[in-house]
Every structure is written in C-alpha cells, then in structure tokens.
Amino acid sequence: METHEEGEVMSWTGRAFVFGLAIFMAVTVSSIVEAQPAKDITEEVIVGPGSVSVATKKDIMMSFGALVRFIPTSESKWDFGMSDNLKGNSFFGGKYTERLFETHSNESGTVRGGYIRNEDKIYFNAMPTDRKWSFYAALEYDRPIDTDTVDNRGGRGDNSNFGLERLNVSVALPYGTRFHAGWDVWGFDHYEGASMVYADDNAGFWLDGQAGPVTYSIGYFKLAENNFQTSLAKTIGNYEFAANDDDRDLIAAYADYKINDKHKVKFFYGYDRIRGIPVRDFYTAAWGAAQSATGLSMAKIYDLLGLDGSAPDPTDPDFPFAYGATKVVSAGSPKTDSHHIGSYYVGNFGPVELFLEGVYQFGSADKVQNLKYSKYDISAYALAADVAVELKDWIGFSLKPHIGVLYTSGDDDPNDDKLKGYNGIENAQRFSNRWGGENTIIGDTNFVLGTALYGYLPEFYGNGTPIFTGGLQNFAGYGNGRGDNPGLTMVSVGLTAAPKKFIIYRTNVNNFWWNEDIKVKSFVYPYAETWVKSGFVGTEWDNELTVALHKNVFVKGQASFFFPGEVIEDVTAALGAKSDDTASRIAAELIWNF
C-alpha cells in the first residue's frame, strides 16, 4: 500500500508537469517572438555542427557535416599487472579469465589491450530564416573495427550500431525563451567547470532563456524508464516493469550570471529521483554475471554449500565459485531522492584566471532491505579550485600553466545511517577542460581504481553500504555510485601550449588520494574481505599533441601513464593479486571534421 501511494504521488507529479507544459505552450504559441532573419545556418548556435550549407528554394535553411575519427590504441597493464601476478589462482574459481581487471568499457564497447576505434558522426540541421524553430540530428557509428563490425554496420551478428546519437528540436517562445525536446548535451559544470555534478545527452525537455545578463535553463530528463521492454516475453515476471513509476528522473535548472566581460557566476540545482537500482557492489554484480553466464543454478549452489540441508561438497570443481555466494550483497532497490545544489565562479584578473566551485549533496534512501537501517540520509559535498596564467604577452605564444585541486567527501563510518561519500548526478571529471581528457586511464573505466566511465571518483568502492546515490546510468546496478565511497582528493598541475596556430600541446599531472578507508572483497577463493587504509592512490600523467593538417583535418598523438601508489598495491593484494606495475595508454587520432 505504501509503495502504491508513493508511486501515485510521483505519477501525479509527472502528469502535472506534462499538463502544465502543454498549457504553457498552447497559450504562448500565438505570440512567438520575432527575430532578425538568419543568413547563414552554419553560424547559428541553436542547431548542431555542420559547415556545409545546402541551398533551398524556400525559407528553410539546411546544413550538414560530419566527424570521422580513427583511433589506433595500445593499452598495457590496465590492471597494474594483476593478470601476471595471480600465481596459479583464478578469479571466481576460474569463471573469469585472468584479464578481468584489464577489461573496461567506453563509448565504443568493452575493450582491452590493442584495438582501432572508429567513431563516425553525420550531422543534419534545418531551421527557417526567422529562427522560430530548429532541427538538429546526429547519426553515429562507434566501434573497434574488424571485418565483422564493418560488414554488420557496427554490430556483432545482426545488431547495427549506427543510430540516432543526438536529436534536438526547438521552438521559440515569448520573453526570449526557447523550448527544446530530444537528447543533446545539457549540464551544469562541464568544460569550463570541474565536471563533478552533471553533463550528459539524456533524453528530455528543457527551456532556455535570457534576462539581461542572466541566461538560464530548466529541464526534465528521463535517465531510466521502467515501463518499457523490447518484447512481451521480457515483461513476464519483471517486477520493475509491473511497478508504478519506478524510473530514474532528473529535474534540474541553472542560472548563469555574467557580471561583466571578466567575471561570471553560475548557480545550479538538480533533483535526482532514483528508483529500481538494486543495492549491489561490484563483487556481487560480477559474481551474478558469472553465475548467469555459466548456467549454474542457485539450487546447485545451495546444494554445494549445504544450504539445502545436505552436506557441503568442497571437492566439487564448482565449489570455489559457489562459495562466493556467501559474500554477495542483496538489499533490494531503495527509493532514493538525491539533491545537488551549488555554484561556480570564473574570474579573470589580467593574465590570471581563477575558478572556484562548490556543491552540496543531500537527500535520503528509504525502504532499504537487509542492511542495518531501513533508511539512510545522504549528506556529502565537493569542492574544486583552479588557477591558470596566460603567458602569451611575455613569450610571444600561448602558454597557459595551471594548478588545481578537487576534493569530495567520503564516508567515514560504516555503522551509522549516513551516506557521506559524494557522487554527482553523474561523475564526469574527464569533461573538464582543466584536468580532463578522453585519453585518461582513470576516466575510461578502471575497476582497480574503482572508476566508471568519465569519472575520477572511486565510486565502485566503499565501507559496506553500497547504496546508489548518483552516477552514470549505464553502469547502474553494477556497483557504481556508492554513497559510502571513500571520497577523493586530486591535485592537478599542467599546461597548454600553442607555439603555432596549428600545434597544441596539452599535459596534466594528476595526483590522487582516497580520503577514507574502504573494505575490499577478494575475487580469489576463499574470498576474504580486507580493510584498505586511505592514502596516496597514484599519479596519472596525460599528454596530447594536436597538429592541424588543414582546417578540417587533424592528427593527435596521446600518451598516458598511471604510476600506482601504496593504496593500489594494497587494493590489488585485497582483490587477490598484489601488483604495482605502471598502466599505460598510447594512441593516435586521425580526425576529419567539417
């Protein structure tokens, strides 16, 4: 009854939002603001990329463009050498290969070692000369290439990867506002910020506007929809499909105040309504995936462990894997409400740029099962700062060194009812222009470092209460976004140099510490649990050289290295294979963009 009532309240809220939006648009559509006629669609900001203008006989302007990237990549010791140091042991009784922790997921799929990634985008844009509406769509193919993937248009078997990556349609409304629908990049603090709260291309609706020096946006985004399956068969016995409004929704807004040409401040707020994500650590997710893949029934596992009244059978080859069931976490799917409120400031004082950001995360996780408490309060925060100096006036070309710091709170008490480990709505530090980059090791999923794609936070680790309080939806339910994570301190030192207008070199040395102790489960039988002390995690050194061969053709060279500290040595020992080798990623990018 309680679940039904709460679901009805949220459903009513959703219906009210849609109804109010419909009324607003119906009332205002007759008074759309007139604008100065557009002359060149390729220079308009309300559409997407694409530099080729298409002539039409009517007042609708069109353009298209494309991005092609080939990225030969070579990775080494992504697991810091764990695969070489198992010493005859195996992960989960041999159900996983020794390369488990070398495996990682990025936008192109699940990869390891050496591969050639190919990303292709085709852009289409349309709008009338009065700008009263706009259309932007991008088709994308993104896969490591071989005969199979190219012959099957990106898929293995008959699954195609070439699909609608971006869609953004808009209509102009009164008072300088514009309504958008689709999925395109929207966020709070990516690029010029610390990228520690939210930025993604999730599907939804948003309203942009401007009032004097303030630009603002408010949006509603659907991160997960439970009332959808691809076939009737998948709905049978599916509790989440039958549940009422058991989705993940985001309601968010920001206001960007430009004080003057040298100073600006941005305020933001996000309500992350999280449903249908089970309390689960990475160990439990990996064990469950192996159990499902190998077809070993739970009845057989209970029999091997003697949980069905029979005697345990340690001599059975499957017993070491079955024993792992004694360490899994099962605590239901809480009803979690997480809020983020914060701001950042960017100011220029001559050649010096100052950046400051702060955010507070609060809320609660209710209806938790099989843990010490049925309700946990969320109380966490994150801070960031960066100082950069432009030396062009002194040396004759752009040279911009910087030093920055990022701090997120960690959970310091596994026995209380507080979740103090900070998570953004999505952790995406690699999208910060200050210390990010697609070429990072830590930001391209690394299970030893405890990071999901895009983020630097150790969100796969914690001290015993793996409740999801935020994080990338693609990994949700697999142990990421833990509200009991240890928190992170990062000190970043780097520079960007452009000695010629066609050459840019960028380097960052990012140093990492975890702020609190964590409990790590071994993936090697008999699956011990070890407390790992907080401390120095290691240093990542990222390098990228970009050379423009033409205004539309570029070549990049990338080299990244992660030098592990004592915490990684302790973590790998706790996981089952003590290691401290240097991880590396060497890559090139061949880019055509028009």
Side-chain angles (χ1 to χ4, degrees), residues 3 7 225-227 238-247 276 335:
T3 301
E225 172 60 73
N226 73 296
N227 295 139
N238 187 328
Y239 167 78
E240 290 185 1
F241 180 79
N244 182 44
D245 201 19
D246 223 7
D247 308 336
K335 297 184 180 299

Side-chain angles (χ1 to χ4, degrees), residues 483-503:
D484 64 340
N485 76 75
L488 179 75
T489 298
M490 180 188 73
V491 175
S492 176
V493 179
L495 63 84
T496 301
K500 300 289 184 180
K501 65 179 182 179
F502 56 89
I503 298 175

Side-chain angles (χ1 to χ4, degrees), residues 503-522:
I503 298 175
I504 300 174
Y505 171 66
R506 188 166 182 263
T507 184
N508 266 315
V509 177
N510 295 333
N511 303 280
F512 303 97
W513 292 261
W514 291 346
N515 300 328
E516 305 293 346
D517 302 343
I518 59 173
K519 185 187 289 185
V520 179
K521 294 179 180 178
S522 175

Side-chain angles (χ1 to χ4, degrees), residues 18 24 31 65 67 128 145 194 202 206 221 250 293 384 506 560 571 594:
V18 174
F24 174 76
S31 55
L67 169 69
I145 55 173
N202 293 306
W206 62 102
F221 303 95
L250 173 64
R506 188 166 182 263
S560 296
V571 164
F594 63 90

Side-chain angles (χ1 to χ4, degrees), residues 72-101:
T73 305
S74 176
E75 301 167 352
S76 178
K77 308 292 184 181
W78 203 266
D79 62 351
F80 301 99
M82 288 184 64
S83 58
D84 299 325
N85 295 319
L86 279 169
K87 299 179 180 178
N89 295 317
S90 62
F91 296 126
F92 285 137
K95 295 297 187 282
Y96 283 99
T97 74
E98 70 277 7
R99 304 296 179 182
L100 171 62
F101 287 93

